[in-house]
Coordinates of all heavy atoms in Angstrom, one line a residue:
M104 N 33.3 35.9 21.0 CA 33.4 34.4 21.3 C 31.9 33.9 21.3 O 31.0 34.5 21.7 CB 34.0 34.2 22.7 CG 33.9 32.8 23.1 SD 35.4 32.4 24.1 CE 35.3 30.7 24.0
T105 N 31.8 32.7 20.8 CA 30.5 32.0 20.7 C 30.2 31.3 21.9 O 31.0 30.5 22.4 CB 30.5 31.0 19.5 OG1 30.8 31.7 18.3 CG2 29.1 30.4 19.3
T106 N 29.0 31.5 22.5 CA 28.6 30.8 23.7 C 28.1 29.4 23.3 O 27.8 29.1 22.2 CB 27.5 31.5 24.4 OG1 26.3 31.5 23.6 CG2 27.9 33.0 24.8
R107 N 28.0 28.5 24.3 CA 27.5 27.2 24.1 C 26.1 27.2 23.6 O 25.7 26.5 22.7 CB 27.6 26.4 25.4 CG 27.2 24.9 25.2 CD 27.0 24.1 26.3 NE 27.8 24.3 27.5 CZ 27.8 23.5 28.6 NH1 27.0 22.5 28.6 NH2 28.5 23.8 29.6
R108 N 25.3 28.1 24.1 CA 23.9 28.2 23.7 C 23.8 28.6 22.2 O 23.0 28.1 21.4 CB 23.1 29.3 24.5 CG 21.7 29.5 24.0 CD 21.0 30.5 24.9 NE 20.6 29.7 26.0 CZ 19.6 30.1 26.9 NH1 19.0 31.2 26.7 NH2 19.2 29.3 27.9
Q109 N 24.6 29.6 21.7 CA 24.6 30.0 20.3 C 25.1 28.8 19.4 O 24.6 28.6 18.3 CB 25.5 31.2 20.2 CG 25.0 32.5 20.8 CD 26.0 33.6 20.8 OE1 27.2 33.4 20.7 NE2 25.4 34.9 20.8
F110 N 26.1 28.1 19.9 CA 26.6 27.0 19.2 C 25.6 25.9 19.0 O 25.4 25.4 17.9 CB 27.9 26.4 19.9 CG 28.5 25.2 19.2 CD1 29.2 25.4 18.0 CD2 28.3 23.9 19.7 CE1 29.7 24.3 17.4 CE2 28.8 22.8 19.0 CZ 29.6 23.0 17.9
I111 N 24.8 25.6 20.0 CA 23.7 24.6 19.9 C 22.6 25.1 19.0 O 22.1 24.3 18.2 CB 23.2 24.2 21.3 CG1 24.3 23.5 22.1 CG2 21.9 23.4 21.3 CD1 23.9 23.2 23.6
Q112 N 22.3 26.4 19.1 CA 21.2 26.9 18.2 C 21.7 26.9 16.8 O 20.9 26.6 15.9 CB 20.9 28.4 18.7 CG 20.1 28.4 20.0 CD 19.9 29.9 20.4 OE1 20.5 30.8 19.9 NE2 19.0 30.1 21.4
L113 N 22.9 27.2 16.5 CA 23.4 27.2 15.1 C 23.4 25.7 14.6 O 23.0 25.5 13.5 CB 24.8 27.8 15.1 CG 25.5 27.8 13.7 CD1 24.7 28.7 12.8 CD2 26.9 28.3 13.8
G114 N 23.8 24.8 15.5 CA 23.8 23.4 15.0 C 22.4 22.9 14.8 O 22.2 22.1 13.8
M115 N 21.4 23.3 15.6 CA 20.0 22.8 15.4 C 19.5 23.5 14.1 O 18.8 22.8 13.3 CB 19.2 23.2 16.6 CG 19.4 22.4 17.8 SD 18.6 22.7 19.3 CE 17.1 23.4 18.8
A116 N 19.8 24.7 13.8 CA 19.3 25.4 12.6 C 20.0 24.7 11.3 O 19.3 24.5 10.3 CB 19.7 26.8 12.6
A117 N 21.2 24.4 11.4 CA 21.9 23.7 10.3 C 21.3 22.3 10.1 O 21.1 21.8 9.0 CB 23.4 23.6 10.5
G118 N 21.1 21.6 11.2 CA 20.5 20.2 11.1 C 19.1 20.2 10.5 O 18.7 19.4 9.8
A119 N 18.3 21.2 10.9 CA 17.0 21.4 10.3 C 17.0 21.6 8.8 O 16.1 21.2 8.1 CB 16.2 22.4 11.0
G120 N 18.0 22.3 8.4 CA 18.2 22.6 7.0 C 18.4 21.4 6.1 O 18.1 21.3 4.9
L121 N 18.9 20.3 6.7 CA 19.1 19.0 6.0 C 17.8 18.4 5.6 O 17.8 17.6 4.7 CB 20.0 18.1 6.9 CG 21.4 18.5 7.2 CD1 22.0 17.5 8.1 CD2 22.2 18.6 5.9
F122 N 16.8 18.7 6.3 CA 15.5 18.0 6.0 C 14.7 18.8 4.9 O 13.7 18.3 4.5 CB 14.6 17.9 7.3 CG 15.1 16.9 8.2 CD1 15.8 17.3 9.4 CD2 15.0 15.6 8.0 CE1 16.3 16.4 10.3 CE2 15.5 14.6 8.9 CZ 16.2 15.1 10.0
L123 N 15.2 19.9 4.5 CA 14.5 20.7 3.5 C 14.9 20.2 2.1 O 16.0 19.8 1.9 CB 14.9 22.2 3.6 CG 14.5 22.9 4.9 CD1 15.0 24.3 4.9 CD2 13.0 22.9 5.0
P124 N 13.9 20.1 1.1 CA 14.2 19.6 -0.2 C 15.1 20.6 -0.9 O 15.1 21.8 -0.7 CB 12.9 19.5 -0.9 CG 12.0 20.4 -0.1 CD 12.5 20.4 1.3
L125 N 16.0 20.1 -1.8 CA 16.9 21.0 -2.6 C 16.1 21.8 -3.6 O 16.5 22.9 -3.9 CB 18.0 20.2 -3.2 CG 18.9 19.5 -2.3 CD1 19.9 18.6 -3.0 CD2 19.6 20.5 -1.4
K126 N 15.0 21.2 -4.2 CA 14.2 21.9 -5.2 C 12.8 22.1 -4.6 O 12.3 21.3 -4.0 CB 14.2 21.1 -6.5 CG 15.5 21.0 -7.2 CD 15.3 20.3 -8.5 CE 16.5 20.2 -9.3 NZ 16.3 19.5 -10.6
W127 N 12.3 23.2 -4.9 CA 10.9 23.6 -4.5 C 9.9 23.4 -5.6 O 8.8 23.9 -5.5 CB 10.8 25.0 -3.9 CG 11.6 25.1 -2.6 CD1 12.8 25.5 -2.4 CD2 11.1 24.7 -1.3 NE1 13.2 25.4 -1.1 CE2 12.1 25.0 -0.4 CE3 9.9 24.2 -0.8 CZ2 11.9 24.8 1.0 CZ3 9.7 24.0 0.5 CH2 10.7 24.3 1.4
T128 N 10.3 22.7 -6.7 CA 9.4 22.6 -7.8 C 8.6 21.3 -7.7 O 9.0 20.4 -7.1 CB 10.2 22.6 -9.1 OG1 11.1 21.5 -9.1 CG2 11.0 23.8 -9.3
V129 N 7.4 21.3 -8.3 CA 6.5 20.1 -8.3 C 6.8 19.3 -9.6 O 6.9 19.9 -10.7 CB 5.1 20.6 -8.3 CG1 4.1 19.4 -8.4 CG2 4.8 21.4 -7.1
P130 N 7.1 18.0 -9.5 CA 7.4 17.2 -10.7 C 6.1 17.2 -11.6 O 5.0 17.1 -11.2 CB 7.7 15.9 -10.2 CG 7.2 15.8 -8.8 CD 7.2 17.2 -8.3
I131 N 6.4 17.3 -12.9 CA 5.3 17.3 -13.9 C 5.2 15.8 -14.5 O 6.2 15.2 -14.8 CB 5.6 18.3 -15.0 CG1 5.7 19.7 -14.4 CG2 4.6 18.2 -16.1 CD1 6.2 20.7 -15.4
A132 N 4.0 15.4 -14.6 CA 3.8 14.0 -15.1 C 4.2 14.0 -16.6 O 4.1 14.9 -17.3 CB 2.3 13.6 -15.0
S133 N 4.8 12.8 -17.0 CA 5.3 12.7 -18.3 C 4.2 12.6 -19.4 O 4.3 12.9 -20.5 CB 6.3 11.5 -18.4 OG 5.6 10.4 -18.1
A134 N 3.0 12.0 -19.0 CA 1.9 11.8 -19.9 C 0.7 12.4 -19.2 O 0.4 12.2 -18.1 CB 1.7 10.3 -20.2
A135 N -0.1 13.1 -20.0 CA -1.3 13.7 -19.5 C -2.4 12.6 -19.4 O -2.6 11.8 -20.2 CB -1.8 14.8 -20.5
S136 N -3.2 12.7 -18.3 CA -4.3 11.8 -18.1 C -5.5 12.2 -18.9 O -5.8 13.4 -19.0 CB -4.7 11.7 -16.6 OG -3.6 11.2 -15.9
P137 N -6.2 11.2 -19.5 CA -7.4 11.6 -20.3 C -8.5 12.0 -19.3 O -8.5 11.6 -18.1 CB -7.8 10.3 -21.0 CG -7.2 9.2 -20.2 CD -6.0 9.8 -19.6
P138 N -9.4 12.9 -19.7 CA -10.5 13.3 -18.9 C -11.4 12.1 -18.6 O -11.8 11.5 -19.6 CB -11.2 14.4 -19.6 CG -10.8 14.3 -21.0 CD -9.4 13.6 -21.0
L139 N -11.8 11.8 -17.4 CA -12.6 10.7 -17.1 C -13.8 11.1 -16.3 O -13.8 12.1 -15.5 CB -11.8 9.7 -16.2 CG -10.6 9.1 -16.8 CD1 -9.9 8.2 -15.8 CD2 -10.9 8.2 -18.1
T140 N -14.9 10.5 -16.5 CA -16.1 10.7 -15.7 C -16.0 9.9 -14.4 O -15.8 8.7 -14.4 CB -17.4 10.2 -16.5 OG1 -17.4 10.9 -17.8 CG2 -18.7 10.5 -15.8
K141 N -16.2 10.6 -13.3 CA -16.1 10.0 -12.0 C -17.3 9.1 -11.8 O -18.4 9.3 -12.2 CB -16.1 11.0 -10.9 CG -14.8 11.9 -10.9 CD -14.8 12.9 -9.7 CE -13.6 13.7 -9.7 NZ -13.6 14.6 -8.5
Y142 N -17.0 8.0 -11.1 CA -17.9 7.0 -10.6 C -18.8 6.5 -11.7 O -20.0 6.3 -11.5 CB -18.8 7.7 -9.5 CG -18.0 8.4 -8.4 CD1 -18.1 9.7 -8.3 CD2 -17.1 7.7 -7.6 CE1 -17.3 10.4 -7.3 CE2 -16.3 8.3 -6.7 CZ -16.4 9.7 -6.5 OH -15.7 10.4 -5.6
L143 N -18.2 6.2 -12.8 CA -19.0 5.7 -14.0 C -19.2 4.2 -13.8 O -20.3 3.6 -14.1 CB -18.2 6.0 -15.3 CG -18.9 5.5 -16.6 CD1 -20.2 6.3 -16.8 CD2 -18.0 5.8 -17.7
D144 N -18.2 3.5 -13.3 CA -18.3 2.0 -13.2 C -18.3 1.6 -11.8 O -17.7 2.2 -10.9 CB -17.1 1.4 -13.9 CG -17.0 1.7 -15.4 OD1 -18.0 1.8 -16.0 OD2 -15.8 2.0 -15.8
Q145 N -19.0 0.5 -11.5 CA -19.1 0.0 -10.1 C -17.8 -0.9 -9.9 O -17.4 -1.6 -10.7 CB -20.3 -0.9 -10.0 CG -20.5 -1.4 -8.5 CD -21.8 -2.1 -8.4 OE1 -22.6 -2.3 -9.3 NE2 -22.1 -2.6 -7.2
L146 N -17.2 -0.7 -8.7 CA -16.1 -1.5 -8.3 C -16.5 -2.9 -8.1 O -17.5 -3.2 -7.7 CB -15.4 -0.9 -7.1 CG -14.7 0.4 -7.2 CD1 -14.2 0.9 -5.9 CD2 -13.6 0.3 -8.2
P147 N -15.6 -3.9 -8.5 CA -15.9 -5.3 -8.3 C -15.9 -5.6 -6.8 O -15.1 -5.2 -6.0 CB -14.8 -6.0 -9.0 CG -13.6 -5.0 -9.0 CD -14.2 -3.7 -9.1
I148 N -16.9 -6.5 -6.4 CA -17.0 -7.0 -5.1 C -16.6 -8.4 -5.1 O -17.2 -9.2 -5.8 CB -18.4 -6.8 -4.5 CG1 -18.8 -5.3 -4.5 CG2 -18.5 -7.4 -3.1 CD1 -20.2 -5.0 -4.1
P149 N -15.5 -8.8 -4.4 CA -15.0 -10.2 -4.4 C -16.1 -11.1 -3.7 O -16.8 -10.7 -2.8 CB -13.7 -10.1 -3.6 CG -13.8 -8.9 -2.8 CD -14.6 -7.9 -3.5
P150 N -16.1 -12.3 -4.1 CA -17.1 -13.3 -3.5 C -16.6 -13.6 -2.1 O -15.4 -13.5 -1.8 CB -17.0 -14.5 -4.5 CG -15.6 -14.4 -5.1 CD -15.3 -12.9 -5.2
M151 N -17.6 -14.1 -1.3 CA -17.3 -14.5 0.0 C -16.6 -15.9 0.0 O -17.0 -16.7 -0.8 CB -18.6 -14.6 0.9 CG -19.2 -13.3 1.1 SD -18.4 -12.3 2.3 CE -18.6 -13.2 3.8
I152 N -15.6 -16.1 0.8 CA -15.0 -17.4 1.0 C -15.6 -18.1 2.1 O -15.7 -17.6 3.2 CB -13.5 -17.2 1.2 CG1 -12.8 -16.5 0.0 CG2 -12.8 -18.5 1.5 CD1 -11.4 -16.2 0.1
P153 N -16.1 -19.3 1.9 CA -16.7 -20.1 3.0 C -15.8 -20.3 4.2 O -14.6 -20.5 4.0 CB -17.2 -21.4 2.4 CG -16.3 -21.5 1.1 CD -16.0 -20.1 0.7
G154 N -16.3 -20.2 5.4 CA -15.5 -20.2 6.6 C -15.4 -21.6 7.2 O -15.3 -21.7 8.4
I155 N -15.6 -22.7 6.4 CA -15.5 -24.0 7.0 C -14.1 -24.5 6.9 O -13.5 -24.6 5.8 CB -16.4 -24.9 6.1 CG1 -17.9 -24.4 6.2 CG2 -16.4 -26.4 6.7 CD1 -18.8 -25.1 5.3
G156 N -13.5 -24.9 8.0 CA -12.1 -25.3 8.0 C -11.1 -24.2 7.8 O -11.5 -23.0 7.9
L157 N -9.9 -24.5 7.5 CA -8.9 -23.6 7.2 C -8.8 -23.4 5.6 O -8.8 -24.4 4.9 CB -7.6 -24.0 7.7 CG -7.5 -24.2 9.2 CD1 -6.2 -24.7 9.7 CD2 -7.8 -22.8 9.9
T158 N -8.8 -22.2 5.2 CA -8.7 -21.9 3.7 C -7.3 -21.4 3.4 O -6.8 -20.5 4.1 CB -9.8 -21.0 3.3 OG1 -11.0 -21.5 3.7 CG2 -9.8 -20.7 1.8
S159 N -6.7 -21.8 2.4 CA -5.4 -21.3 1.9 C -5.6 -20.4 0.8 O -6.3 -20.7 -0.2 CB -4.6 -22.5 1.5 OG -3.3 -22.1 1.0
L160 N -5.1 -19.2 0.9 CA -5.2 -18.1 -0.1 C -3.8 -17.9 -0.7 O -2.8 -18.0 -0.1 CB -5.7 -16.8 0.4 CG -7.1 -16.9 1.0 CD1 -7.5 -15.5 1.6 CD2 -8.1 -17.3 -0.1
A161 N -3.8 -17.5 -2.0 CA -2.5 -17.2 -2.6 C -2.7 -15.9 -3.5 O -3.8 -15.6 -3.9 CB -2.1 -18.3 -3.6
M162 N -1.6 -15.2 -3.7 CA -1.6 -14.0 -4.5 C -1.5 -14.5 -6.0 O -0.7 -15.4 -6.3 CB -0.5 -13.1 -4.2 CG -0.6 -12.5 -2.8 SD -1.9 -11.3 -2.7 CE -1.4 -10.0 -3.8
A163 N -2.2 -13.9 -6.9 CA -2.1 -14.2 -8.3 C -2.2 -12.9 -9.2 O -3.0 -12.1 -8.9 CB -3.2 -15.2 -8.7
P164 N -1.3 -12.8 -10.2 CA -1.4 -11.7 -11.1 C -2.6 -11.8 -12.0 O -3.1 -12.9 -12.3 CB -0.1 -11.7 -11.9 CG 0.2 -13.2 -11.9 CD -0.3 -13.7 -10.6
S165 N -3.1 -10.6 -12.4 CA -4.3 -10.6 -13.2 C -4.3 -9.2 -14.0 O -3.4 -8.4 -13.8 CB -5.6 -10.7 -12.4 OG -6.7 -10.7 -13.2
A166 N -5.3 -9.0 -14.7 CA -5.5 -7.7 -15.4 C -7.0 -7.3 -15.2 O -7.9 -8.1 -15.3 CB -5.2 -7.8 -16.9
H167 N -7.2 -6.0 -14.9 CA -8.6 -5.6 -14.7 C -8.7 -4.1 -15.2 O -7.7 -3.3 -15.0 CB -8.9 -5.6 -13.2 CG -10.3 -5.2 -12.9 ND1 -11.4 -6.0 -13.1 CD2 -10.8 -4.0 -12.4 CE1 -12.5 -5.3 -12.8 NE2 -12.1 -4.1 -12.3
S168 N -9.8 -3.8 -15.7 CA -10.1 -2.4 -16.1 C -11.0 -1.8 -15.1 O -12.1 -2.2 -14.9 CB -10.8 -2.4 -17.5 OG -11.1 -1.0 -17.8
F169 N -10.5 -0.8 -14.4 CA -11.3 -0.1 -13.3 C -12.1 1.0 -13.9 O -12.9 1.7 -13.1 CB -10.3 0.4 -12.2 CG -9.7 -0.6 -11.4 CD1 -8.5 -1.1 -11.7 CD2 -10.5 -1.2 -10.4 CE1 -7.9 -2.2 -10.9 CE2 -9.9 -2.2 -9.6 CZ -8.7 -2.7 -9.8
H170 N -12.0 1.4 -15.2 CA -12.8 2.4 -15.8 C -13.1 2.0 -17.2 O -12.2 1.5 -17.9 CB -12.1 3.8 -15.7 CG -13.0 4.9 -15.9 ND1 -13.5 5.3 -17.2 CD2 -13.6 5.8 -15.1 CE1 -14.2 6.4 -17.1 NE2 -14.4 6.7 -15.8
S171 N -14.3 2.1 -17.7 CA -14.6 1.7 -19.0 C -13.9 2.5 -20.1 O -13.8 2.0 -21.2 CB -16.2 1.8 -19.3 OG -16.6 3.1 -19.0
S172 N -13.4 3.7 -19.8 CA -12.6 4.5 -20.8 C -11.2 4.1 -20.8 O -10.5 4.5 -21.7 CB -12.7 5.9 -20.4 OG -14.1 6.4 -20.5
L173 N -10.7 3.2 -19.9 CA -9.3 2.8 -19.9 C -9.2 1.3 -20.1 O -10.1 0.6 -19.9 CB -8.7 3.1 -18.5 CG -8.7 4.6 -18.1 CD1 -8.2 4.7 -16.6 CD2 -7.9 5.4 -19.0
G174 N -8.0 1.0 -20.6 CA -7.8 -0.5 -20.8 C -7.5 -1.2 -19.5 O -7.3 -0.6 -18.5
A175 N -7.3 -2.5 -19.6 CA -7.0 -3.3 -18.5 C -5.5 -3.0 -18.0 O -4.7 -2.9 -18.9 CB -7.2 -4.7 -18.7
G176 N -5.3 -3.0 -16.8 CA -4.0 -2.8 -16.2 C -3.6 -4.0 -15.3 O -4.5 -4.7 -14.9
P177 N -2.3 -4.2 -15.0 CA -1.9 -5.3 -14.2 C -2.4 -5.1 -12.7 O -2.3 -4.0 -12.2 CB -0.4 -5.3 -14.3 CG 0.0 -3.9 -14.7 CD -1.2 -3.4 -15.5
T178 N -2.9 -6.1 -12.1 CA -3.3 -6.1 -10.7 C -2.9 -7.4 -10.1 O -2.5 -8.3 -10.7 CB -4.9 -5.9 -10.6 OG1 -5.5 -7.0 -11.3 CG2 -5.4 -4.6 -11.2
W179 N -3.0 -7.4 -8.8 CA -2.7 -8.6 -8.0 C -4.0 -8.8 -7.1 O -4.6 -7.9 -6.6 CB -1.5 -8.4 -7.1 CG -0.2 -8.5 -7.8 CD1 0.4 -7.5 -8.4 CD2 0.5 -9.7 -8.0 NE1 1.6 -8.0 -9.0 CE2 1.7 -9.3 -8.7 CE3 0.4 -11.0 -7.6 CZ2 2.6 -10.3 -9.1 CZ3 1.3 -11.9 -8.0 CH2 2.4 -11.5 -8.7
G180 N -4.3 -10.1 -7.0 CA -5.5 -10.4 -6.2 C -5.3 -11.7 -5.4 O -4.3 -12.4 -5.6
M181 N -6.3 -12.0 -4.6 CA -6.2 -13.2 -3.8 C -7.1 -14.3 -4.5 O -8.2 -14.0 -4.9 CB -6.8 -13.0 -2.4 CG -6.0 -11.9 -1.6 SD -4.3 -12.3 -1.3 CE -4.5 -13.4 0.1
V182 N -6.6 -15.5 -4.5 CA -7.3 -16.6 -5.1 C -7.3 -17.8 -4.0 O -6.3 -17.9 -3.3 CB -6.7 -17.1 -6.4 CG1 -6.9 -16.1 -7.5 CG2 -5.3 -17.5 -6.3
E183 N -8.3 -18.6 -4.0 CA -8.4 -19.7 -3.1 C -7.7 -20.9 -3.7 O -7.9 -21.2 -4.9 CB -9.9 -20.0 -2.8 CG -10.1 -21.0 -1.7 CD -11.6 -21.2 -1.4 OE1 -12.4 -20.6 -2.1 OE2 -11.8 -22.0 -0.5
R184 N -6.9 -21.6 -2.9 CA -6.1 -22.7 -3.5 C -6.9 -24.0 -3.5 O -6.5 -25.0 -4.0 CB -4.9 -22.9 -2.6 CG -3.8 -21.9 -2.9 CD -2.6 -22.3 -2.2 NE -1.6 -21.3 -2.3 CZ -0.4 -21.3 -1.7 NH1 -0.1 -22.3 -0.9 NH2 0.4 -20.3 -1.8
H185 N -8.0 -24.1 -2.8 CA -8.9 -25.3 -2.7 C -8.1 -26.4 -2.0 O -8.4 -27.6 -2.3 CB -9.4 -25.7 -4.1 CG -10.2 -24.7 -4.8 ND1 -11.5 -24.4 -4.3 CD2 -10.0 -23.9 -5.8 CE1 -12.0 -23.4 -5.1 NE2 -11.1 -23.1 -6.0
T186 N -7.2 -26.1 -1.2 CA -6.6 -27.1 -0.4 C -6.8 -26.8 1.1 O -6.4 -25.8 1.6 CB -5.0 -27.1 -0.6 OG1 -4.5 -25.8 -0.4 CG2 -4.7 -27.6 -2.0
L187 N -7.6 -27.6 1.7 CA -7.9 -27.4 3.1 C -6.9 -28.1 4.0 O -6.7 -29.3 3.8 CB -9.3 -27.8 3.4 CG -10.4 -27.1 2.6 CD1 -11.8 -27.7 3.0 CD2 -10.4 -25.6 3.0
V188 N -6.3 -27.5 4.9 CA -5.3 -28.1 5.8 C -5.9 -28.1 7.2 O -6.3 -27.1 7.8 CB -4.1 -27.2 5.8 CG1 -3.0 -27.8 6.7 CG2 -3.5 -27.0 4.4
Q189 N -6.1 -29.3 7.7 CA -6.6 -29.5 9.1 C -5.4 -29.7 10.0 O -4.5 -30.4 9.7 CB -7.5 -30.7 9.1 CG -8.8 -30.6 8.2 CD -9.7 -29.5 8.7 OE1 -9.7 -29.1 9.9 NE2 -10.5 -28.9 7.8
P190 N -5.4 -29.1 11.2 CA -4.3 -29.3 12.1 C -4.3 -30.8 12.6 O -5.4 -31.4 12.9 CB -4.6 -28.3 13.2 CG -6.1 -28.1 13.1 CD -6.5 -28.2 11.7
S191 N -3.1 -31.3 12.7 CA -3.0 -32.7 13.2 C -3.1 -32.7 14.7 O -3.0 -31.7 15.4 CB -1.7 -33.3 12.7 OG -0.6 -32.6 13.3
R192 N -3.3 -33.9 15.3 CA -3.4 -34.0 16.8 C -2.0 -33.6 17.4 O -2.0 -33.1 18.5 CB -3.7 -35.4 17.2 CG -5.1 -35.8 16.7 CD -6.2 -35.1 17.4 NE -6.4 -35.6 18.8 CZ -7.0 -35.0 19.7 NH1 -7.6 -33.8 19.4 NH2 -7.1 -35.5 20.9
S193 N -0.9 -33.8 16.8 CA 0.4 -33.4 17.4 C 0.6 -31.9 17.5 O 1.4 -31.5 18.3 CB 1.5 -34.1 16.6 OG 1.5 -33.6 15.3
H194 N -0.1 -31.2 16.6 CA 0.0 -29.7 16.6 C -1.1 -29.0 17.3 O -1.2 -27.8 17.3 CB 0.2 -29.2 15.2 CG 1.4 -29.7 14.5 ND1 1.4 -30.8 13.7 CD2 2.7 -29.2 14.5 CE1 2.7 -30.9 13.2 NE2 3.4 -30.0 13.7
A195 N -2.1 -29.8 17.8 CA -3.2 -29.2 18.4 C -2.8 -28.6 19.8 O -1.9 -29.1 20.4 CB -4.3 -30.2 18.6
V196 N -3.5 -27.6 20.2 CA -3.3 -27.0 21.5 C -3.9 -27.9 22.6 O -5.0 -28.3 22.4 CB -4.0 -25.6 21.6 CG1 -3.8 -25.0 22.9 CG2 -3.4 -24.7 20.5
P197 N -3.1 -28.2 23.6 CA -3.6 -29.1 24.6 C -4.7 -28.5 25.4 O -4.8 -27.3 25.6 CB -2.4 -29.4 25.5 CG -1.4 -28.3 25.2 CD -1.7 -27.8 23.9
D198 N -5.6 -29.4 25.9 CA -6.8 -28.9 26.6 C -6.4 -28.5 28.1 O -5.6 -29.0 28.7 CB -7.9 -29.9 26.7 CG -8.5 -30.1 25.3 OD1 -8.5 -29.2 24.5 OD2 -8.9 -31.2 25.0

């Protein structure tokens, strides 16, 4: 006869087995990467946004080449909308 302790241990061992992957192989990339020289190009440094008033930022798609040996790829970045929104008196925090 199975004791309660053995039943719980068996259940815990079976439950732990559910977290194991079914395959132990490493996926292989479909295309080989070209050999690249490390740290060849300097990363772009975005400009400072002036801190006067409230600034509205938006996401915008773009293309950028992060290595001179590779072509440009799709990226997303922040752009300034140039619309400054000042809080009205009705939305201001009371003193």
Side-chain angles (χ1 to χ4, degrees):
M104 173 148 198
T105 305
T106 65
R107 186 190 326 185
R108 175 177 281 199
Q109 291 172 336
F110 179 75
I111 291 173
Q112 288 175 345
L113 182 63
M115 288 176 30
L121 294 175
F122 291 105
L123 297 175
L125 296 177
K126 292 184 179 181
W127 289 95
T128 60
V129 177
I131 299 173
S133 60
S136 297
L139 299 174
T140 305
K141 292 183 179 183
Y142 312 114
L143 183 64
D144 302 320
Q145 184 175 1
L146 290 176
I148 299 174
M151 294 288 291
I152 297 175
I155 300 173
L157 299 176
T158 303
S159 178
L160 298 176
M162 293 291 292
S165 181
H167 182 77
S168 176
F169 288 97
H170 197 280
S171 58
S172 298
L173 300 174
T178 59
W179 284 88
M181 302 296 279
V182 294
E183 190 174 2
R184 286 189 184 172
H185 300 290
T186 55
L187 298 178
V188 180
Q189 297 295 334
S191 65
R192 296 290 287 164
S193 61
H194 294 96
V196 178
D198 292 331

